[in-house]
Amino acid sequence: MKKSIQLLSALLVLCGLGACNKYLDIIPDNIATIDYAFRLRSTAERYLFTCYSYLPALGAFETNPANAAGDEFWLVPTSGSNAWKIARGNQNKASSYMNYWQGNNGGKDLYQAIRECNIFLDNVEIVPDMQEDEKARWTAEAKFLKAYFHFWLFRMYGPIALIKENIPVDAGADKVYPVRSPVDTCVNYMVQLLDEALPDLPDKIENEVSELGRVTKAIDLSLKAQILVTAASPLFNGNPDYTGYKDPEGNLLFSAAADPGKWERAAAACKAAVEYCEAQGYHLYRFDPAFFQHTISDTTRIKMNIRNAICEKWNPEVIWGNTNSLAGSIQAQATPRGLDPTKTANGGTQGNIAPPLKIAEMFYSNHGVPITEDKTWSYADRFKLRKVTAEYKYNLEEGYTTASLNFDREPRYYADLGFDGSIWYGQGRFDDDDNLFFVSSKKGQPATAQNQGSYSVTGYWPKKLVNFNNVIGDGSTYTIQTYPWPMMRLADLYLLYAEAQNEVNGPGQEVYRYVDSIRARAGLESVVSSWQNYSRNPTKYTTKDGMREIIHRERLIEMAFEGSRYWDLLRWKEATAELNKPITGWDLDQEDAAAYYRERVLFNQSFSTRNYLWPLPESELLSNKRMNQNPGW
């Protein structure tokens, strides 16, 4: 048996597979050996699934750090979310929150996950009852997972220790205590693993329902594209904030100057991923009313394009759905308690994750440009009251009085957000002209605060995450149609490609093509048409800097509430601007509309340069003198 095997880890894994009792009956003296896990195909497969189980559960609000560590959601004061403590400026090195380095305070131990992958890779060849092609596939899956876990750590901590193989029990101190590798070395190793895995992965999983969620070539290529775009971005590509930053042994951890070649490499990876995915039949989701028995307007159909791209399981846009992370509880947290005014006592709908007002302002006008740029849209009058007329009835409740901010916005605004006066399509009511649910959330109304934990602190809800087929029942029943969390969808990949292409060649037809395809699905005109006709800056799209700003905004809107905003703001080095703005919402304590629609400050966020990289746990540095802390911590 190899000396690198960690017996305790192996025993815990087998216990987790329900094999402990039988195992202890077989092995003399109750001494665990890893051989047992690889004696049969069935137990080896369980070990592989154990490796999968370490994937961060991004479909649950509390276990996706990007949900609450930034500014995309704000929570009720009673919340104990570890990630939200980061957003409130309480991250620390002594007992860090969402600690994925060691696995505590809301984080999983991803170095343990990497060690499990290494054990699998060291031993899969000895499994007797397997075909060689199946061993090759499982090896490829483990290599992919190993790359993903390294990427997750890299995105948080920057230069990390690469665990290429497990440490023998008799290893010297130079092996027991690893060093951090420079950024470029980290990136190259992750890409190497993905390249090694690619040939032995299946093209696509279509007929084997039990295998949905397992790694494919499309997933592998998409992760490679994401890694290389991240590596080419300002945080990791010649960042002057880290000039001269070295480890304790004098090794530079960041490159001193930005390398344009990194964007070229990223663009090539994105192009390869896009072309491969399209060849496999992936395409942007569009709701087809021909297969729907209810009567809906074009306005609602476009909103369903957007909502169902997330909530319809295994739709043709989802490249990677995580079956280990079903979106269930997050839907209850995103649905207003009191959405159905006859069931305000139903505690199944919690409605306690709240997008701030600045997120609402982020979405475009109905002309597809920012509301601060649209020459036909009065930003100064956004808080003034308006009464809803018939032309707005599929987005807003006719006859209701709400803020001007909620009028004449793009379809994604109404698909993604619920707010006072907004139509909430579905939840058991499906005909557009059949008394659809709408939100009423001023003090004393059905969707107002029901208790200390079940309300939106800003007056907005992330409707995008809620399956329209959910039904609010009697008592505390809320029937939720769960879906595997979309780790990667084609719209994400399109925007990564457009971003990389713009950085390499500047704006052009290849850049516009992929951005415009997403805009068209959302019912918007092209970038060129929208900016030429409606923007106060009509030539913005013609320069690399201007198009970069457009792509960034498009990405923040299209990927809203999916766990991308936080990481994007970091890699773009835009967090020092965005995460120092106040968190605001409506004045929830007011019954009168004029008083309710006043902007109220909930919290003044503070983000400094040191926050771009998370602190390494202090206990790690106390035991390993070959590592040092991230700058500023």
Coordinates of all heavy atoms in Angstrom, one line a residue, residues 424-475:
W424 N -46.1 39.2 -10.5 CA -45.3 38.0 -10.3 C -46.0 36.9 -11.0 O -46.9 36.2 -10.5 CB -45.2 37.7 -8.8 CG -44.2 36.7 -8.4 CD1 -44.2 35.4 -8.7 CD2 -43.0 37.0 -7.6 NE1 -43.0 34.8 -8.2 CE2 -42.3 35.8 -7.5 CE3 -42.5 38.1 -7.0 CZ2 -41.1 35.6 -6.8 CZ3 -41.3 38.0 -6.3 CH2 -40.6 36.8 -6.2
Y425 N -45.6 36.6 -12.2 CA -46.2 35.6 -13.0 C -46.0 34.2 -12.5 O -44.9 33.9 -12.0 CB -45.7 35.7 -14.5 CG -46.4 34.7 -15.4 CD1 -47.6 34.9 -15.9 CD2 -45.8 33.5 -15.7 CE1 -48.2 34.0 -16.8 CE2 -46.4 32.5 -16.5 CZ -47.6 32.8 -17.0 OH -48.2 31.9 -17.8
G426 N -47.1 33.4 -12.6 CA -47.0 32.0 -12.2 C -47.5 31.7 -10.8 O -48.5 32.4 -10.3
Q427 N -46.9 30.8 -10.1 CA -47.3 30.4 -8.7 C -48.8 29.9 -8.7 O -49.5 30.2 -7.8 CB -47.1 31.5 -7.7 CG -45.8 32.3 -7.7 CD -44.6 31.6 -8.1 OE1 -44.0 31.8 -9.1 NE2 -44.1 30.7 -7.2
G428 N -49.2 29.3 -9.8 CA -50.6 28.7 -9.9 C -51.5 29.6 -10.8 O -52.6 29.1 -11.1
R429 N -51.1 30.7 -11.2 CA -51.9 31.6 -12.1 C -51.1 31.9 -13.3 O -50.0 32.5 -13.3 CB -52.2 32.9 -11.3 CG -53.1 32.6 -10.1 CD -53.5 34.0 -9.4 NE -54.2 33.7 -8.2 CZ -54.7 34.7 -7.4 NH1 -54.6 36.0 -7.8 NH2 -55.4 34.4 -6.3
F430 N -51.6 31.4 -14.5 CA -50.8 31.4 -15.7 C -51.4 32.1 -16.9 O -50.7 32.4 -17.8 CB -50.6 29.9 -16.1 CG -49.9 29.1 -15.0 CD1 -50.6 28.1 -14.4 CD2 -48.6 29.4 -14.7 CE1 -50.0 27.4 -13.4 CE2 -47.9 28.6 -13.7 CZ -48.6 27.6 -13.0
D431 N -52.7 32.5 -16.9 CA -53.2 33.3 -18.0 C -53.0 34.7 -17.7 O -53.3 35.2 -16.6 CB -54.7 33.0 -18.1 CG -55.0 31.6 -18.7 OD1 -54.2 31.2 -19.6 OD2 -56.0 31.0 -18.3
D432 N -52.4 35.4 -18.7 CA -52.0 36.8 -18.5 C -53.1 37.7 -18.0 O -52.8 38.7 -17.3 CB -51.4 37.4 -19.8 CG -49.8 37.4 -19.7 OD1 -49.3 37.2 -18.6 OD2 -49.2 37.7 -20.7
D433 N -54.3 37.5 -18.4 CA -55.4 38.4 -18.1 C -56.3 37.8 -17.0 O -57.5 38.1 -16.9 CB -56.2 38.7 -19.3 CG -55.4 39.5 -20.3 OD1 -54.9 40.5 -19.9 OD2 -55.3 39.1 -21.5
D434 N -55.7 36.9 -16.2 CA -56.5 36.2 -15.2 C -56.0 36.5 -13.8 O -55.6 35.6 -13.0 CB -56.4 34.7 -15.4 CG -57.4 33.9 -14.5 OD1 -58.3 34.4 -14.1 OD2 -57.1 32.7 -14.3
N435 N -56.1 37.7 -13.4 CA -55.8 38.1 -12.0 C -54.5 37.5 -11.4 O -54.5 36.8 -10.4 CB -57.0 37.6 -11.1 CG -57.0 38.2 -9.7 OD1 -56.5 39.3 -9.5 ND2 -57.5 37.5 -8.7
L436 N -53.4 37.9 -12.1 CA -52.1 37.4 -11.7 C -51.7 38.0 -10.3 O -52.2 39.1 -9.9 CB -51.1 37.8 -12.7 CG -51.2 37.2 -14.1 CD1 -50.1 37.8 -15.0 CD2 -51.1 35.7 -14.1
F437 N -50.8 37.3 -9.6 CA -50.3 37.8 -8.3 C -49.5 39.1 -8.6 O -48.8 39.2 -9.6 CB -49.5 36.8 -7.6 CG -50.2 35.6 -7.0 CD1 -50.0 34.3 -7.4 CD2 -51.2 35.9 -6.1 CE1 -50.7 33.3 -6.9 CE2 -51.9 34.8 -5.5 CZ -51.7 33.5 -5.9
F438 N -49.5 40.0 -7.7 CA -48.6 41.1 -7.7 C -48.2 41.4 -6.3 O -48.8 41.0 -5.3 CB -49.3 42.4 -8.3 CG -50.4 43.0 -7.5 CD1 -50.1 44.1 -6.6 CD2 -51.7 42.5 -7.5 CE1 -51.1 44.6 -5.9 CE2 -52.7 43.1 -6.7 CZ -52.4 44.2 -5.9
V439 N -47.0 42.0 -6.1 CA -46.4 42.3 -4.8 C -47.0 43.6 -4.3 O -47.0 44.6 -5.0 CB -44.9 42.4 -4.9 CG1 -44.3 42.7 -3.5 CG2 -44.3 41.1 -5.5
S440 N -47.4 43.6 -3.0 CA -47.8 44.8 -2.3 C -47.1 44.8 -1.0 O -47.4 44.0 -0.1 CB -49.3 44.9 -2.2 OG -49.8 43.8 -1.6
S441 N -46.1 45.7 -0.8 CA -45.2 45.5 0.3 C -45.0 46.7 1.2 O -44.1 46.8 2.1 CB -43.8 45.1 -0.2 OG -43.3 46.0 -1.2
K442 N -45.9 47.7 1.1 CA -45.8 48.8 2.0 C -46.3 48.4 3.4 O -47.0 47.3 3.5 CB -46.6 50.0 1.5 CG -46.0 50.6 0.2 CD -46.7 51.9 -0.2 CE -48.0 51.6 -0.9 NZ -47.9 50.8 -2.1
K443 N -46.1 49.1 4.4 CA -46.4 48.7 5.8 C -47.9 48.4 5.8 O -48.8 49.2 5.4 CB -46.1 49.8 6.8 CG -46.3 49.4 8.2 CD -45.9 50.4 9.2 CE -46.1 50.0 10.6 NZ -45.7 51.0 11.6
G444 N -48.3 47.3 6.4 CA -49.7 46.9 6.5 C -50.2 46.1 5.3 O -51.3 45.5 5.4
Q445 N -49.4 46.0 4.2 CA -49.9 45.2 3.1 C -49.4 43.8 3.2 O -48.5 43.5 4.0 CB -49.3 45.9 1.8 CG -50.0 47.2 1.5 CD -49.5 47.9 0.2 OE1 -48.4 47.8 -0.2 NE2 -50.5 48.5 -0.5
P446 N -49.9 42.9 2.3 CA -49.6 41.4 2.5 C -48.1 41.1 2.5 O -47.7 40.2 3.3 CB -50.3 40.8 1.3 CG -51.5 41.7 1.0 CD -51.0 43.1 1.3
A447 N -47.3 41.7 1.7 CA -45.9 41.4 1.6 C -45.0 42.2 2.5 O -43.8 42.2 2.3 CB -45.4 41.4 0.2
T448 N -45.6 42.9 3.5 CA -44.8 43.6 4.4 C -44.1 42.7 5.4 O -44.3 41.4 5.4 CB -45.7 44.6 5.2 OG1 -44.8 45.5 5.9 CG2 -46.6 43.9 6.2
A449 N -43.3 43.2 6.3 CA -42.6 42.3 7.3 C -43.6 41.6 8.1 O -44.4 42.2 8.8 CB -41.7 43.2 8.1
Q450 N -43.5 40.2 8.1 CA -44.4 39.4 8.9 C -43.8 39.1 10.3 O -44.5 38.9 11.2 CB -44.6 38.0 8.2 CG -45.2 38.2 6.8 CD -46.7 38.7 6.9 OE1 -47.4 38.3 7.8 NE2 -47.1 39.4 5.9
N451 N -42.4 39.1 10.3 CA -41.7 38.8 11.6 C -40.3 39.3 11.4 O -40.0 39.9 10.3 CB -41.8 37.4 12.0 CG -41.3 36.4 10.9 OD1 -40.2 36.7 10.3 ND2 -42.0 35.4 10.7
Q452 N -39.4 39.1 12.3 CA -38.0 39.6 12.2 C -37.2 38.9 11.1 O -36.2 39.5 10.7 CB -37.3 39.4 13.5 CG -37.9 40.4 14.6 CD -37.0 40.2 15.9 OE1 -36.5 39.2 16.2 NE2 -36.9 41.3 16.6
G453 N -37.7 37.8 10.6 CA -36.8 37.0 9.6 C -37.4 36.9 8.3 O -36.7 36.4 7.4
S454 N -38.7 37.3 8.0 CA -39.4 36.9 6.8 C -39.8 38.2 6.0 O -41.0 38.4 5.9 CB -40.6 36.0 7.1 OG -40.1 34.8 7.6
Y455 N -38.8 38.9 5.5 CA -39.2 40.1 4.7 C -37.9 40.6 4.0 O -36.8 40.2 4.3 CB -39.7 41.2 5.6 CG -38.8 41.9 6.5 CD1 -38.2 43.1 6.2 CD2 -38.4 41.3 7.8 CE1 -37.3 43.7 7.1 CE2 -37.5 41.9 8.6 CZ -36.9 43.1 8.3 OH -36.0 43.7 9.1
S456 N -38.2 41.4 3.0 CA -37.1 42.0 2.3 C -36.7 43.4 2.9 O -37.6 44.2 3.0 CB -37.5 42.2 0.8 OG -36.6 43.2 0.2
V457 N -35.5 43.5 3.3 CA -35.1 44.8 3.9 C -35.0 46.0 3.0 O -34.9 47.1 3.4 CB -33.7 44.6 4.7 CG1 -33.8 43.6 5.8 CG2 -32.6 44.2 3.7
T458 N -35.0 45.7 1.7 CA -34.9 46.7 0.7 C -36.2 47.0 -0.1 O -36.3 48.1 -0.7 CB -33.8 46.4 -0.4 OG1 -34.2 45.2 -1.1 CG2 -32.5 46.1 0.3
G459 N -37.1 46.0 -0.1 CA -38.3 46.2 -0.9 C -38.2 45.5 -2.3 O -39.1 45.7 -3.1
Y460 N -37.1 44.7 -2.5 CA -36.9 44.0 -3.7 C -36.7 42.5 -3.4 O -36.1 42.2 -2.4 CB -35.8 44.6 -4.6 CG -36.1 45.9 -5.3 CD1 -35.9 47.1 -4.6 CD2 -36.7 45.9 -6.5 CE1 -36.3 48.3 -5.2 CE2 -37.0 47.1 -7.2 CZ -36.8 48.3 -6.5 OH -37.1 49.4 -7.1
W461 N -37.1 41.7 -4.4 CA -36.9 40.2 -4.3 C -36.3 39.7 -5.6 O -36.6 40.2 -6.7 CB -38.2 39.5 -4.0 CG -38.7 39.7 -2.6 CD1 -38.5 38.9 -1.5 CD2 -39.6 40.7 -2.2 NE1 -39.2 39.4 -0.4 CE2 -39.9 40.5 -0.8 CE3 -40.1 41.9 -2.8 CZ2 -40.7 41.4 -0.1 CZ3 -40.9 42.7 -2.1 CH2 -41.2 42.5 -0.7
P462 N -35.4 38.7 -5.6 CA -34.8 38.1 -6.8 C -35.7 37.0 -7.4 O -35.5 35.8 -7.4 CB -33.5 37.5 -6.3 CG -33.8 37.0 -4.9 CD -34.8 38.1 -4.3
K463 N -36.7 37.5 -8.1 CA -37.7 36.6 -8.7 C -37.1 35.7 -9.7 O -37.6 34.6 -10.0 CB -38.8 37.5 -9.4 CG -39.9 36.7 -10.1 CD -41.1 37.6 -10.5 CE -40.6 38.8 -11.4 NZ -41.8 39.6 -11.8
K464 N -36.0 36.1 -10.3 CA -35.3 35.3 -11.3 C -35.1 33.9 -10.9 O -35.0 32.9 -11.7 CB -34.0 36.0 -11.7 CG -33.1 35.2 -12.7 CD -31.8 36.0 -12.9 CE -31.0 35.4 -13.9 NZ -29.7 36.2 -14.1
L465 N -34.8 33.7 -9.6 CA -34.4 32.4 -9.0 C -35.6 31.5 -8.8 O -35.4 30.3 -8.4 CB -33.6 32.6 -7.8 CG -32.4 33.5 -7.9 CD1 -31.7 33.6 -6.5 CD2 -31.4 32.9 -8.9
V466 N -36.8 32.0 -8.9 CA -38.0 31.2 -8.5 C -38.7 30.6 -9.7 O -39.1 31.3 -10.6 CB -39.0 32.2 -7.8 CG1 -40.2 31.4 -7.3 CG2 -38.3 32.8 -6.6
N467 N -38.9 29.3 -9.7 CA -39.6 28.6 -10.7 C -41.0 29.0 -10.8 O -41.7 29.0 -9.7 CB -39.5 27.1 -10.4 CG -39.9 26.2 -11.6 OD1 -41.0 26.3 -12.1 ND2 -39.0 25.3 -12.1
F468 N -41.5 29.3 -12.0 CA -42.9 29.9 -12.1 C -43.9 28.8 -11.8 O -45.1 29.2 -11.6 CB -43.1 30.5 -13.4 CG -43.4 29.5 -14.5 CD1 -44.7 29.4 -15.0 CD2 -42.4 28.7 -15.1 CE1 -45.0 28.5 -16.1 CE2 -42.7 27.8 -16.1 CZ -44.0 27.7 -16.6
N469 N -43.6 27.5 -11.7 CA -44.5 26.5 -11.4 C -44.7 26.2 -9.9 O -45.5 25.4 -9.5 CB -44.1 25.2 -12.1 CG -44.3 25.2 -13.6 OD1 -45.4 25.5 -14.0 ND2 -43.2 25.0 -14.3
N470 N -43.9 26.9 -9.0 CA -44.1 26.8 -7.6 C -45.5 27.2 -7.2 O -46.1 28.1 -7.8 CB -43.1 27.6 -6.8 CG -41.6 27.1 -7.0 OD1 -41.4 26.1 -7.6 ND2 -40.7 27.9 -6.5
V471 N -46.0 26.6 -6.1 CA -47.3 26.9 -5.7 C -47.3 27.1 -4.2 O -46.8 26.3 -3.4 CB -48.3 25.8 -6.0 CG1 -49.7 26.1 -5.4 CG2 -48.4 25.6 -7.5
I472 N -47.9 28.3 -3.7 CA -48.0 28.6 -2.3 C -49.3 27.9 -1.8 O -50.4 28.2 -2.3 CB -48.1 30.1 -2.1 CG1 -46.8 30.8 -2.6 CG2 -48.2 30.4 -0.6 CD1 -46.9 32.3 -2.7
G473 N -49.1 27.0 -0.9 CA -50.3 26.2 -0.4 C -50.8 26.7 0.9 O -50.5 27.8 1.4
D474 N -51.6 25.8 1.6 CA -52.2 26.2 2.9 C -51.1 25.9 4.0 O -50.2 25.2 3.8 CB -53.4 25.4 3.1 CG -54.5 25.7 2.1 OD1 -54.7 26.9 1.8 OD2 -55.3 24.8 1.7
G475 N -51.4 26.4 5.1 CA -50.5 26.2 6.3 C -49.1 26.8 6.0 O -49.0 27.9 5.6

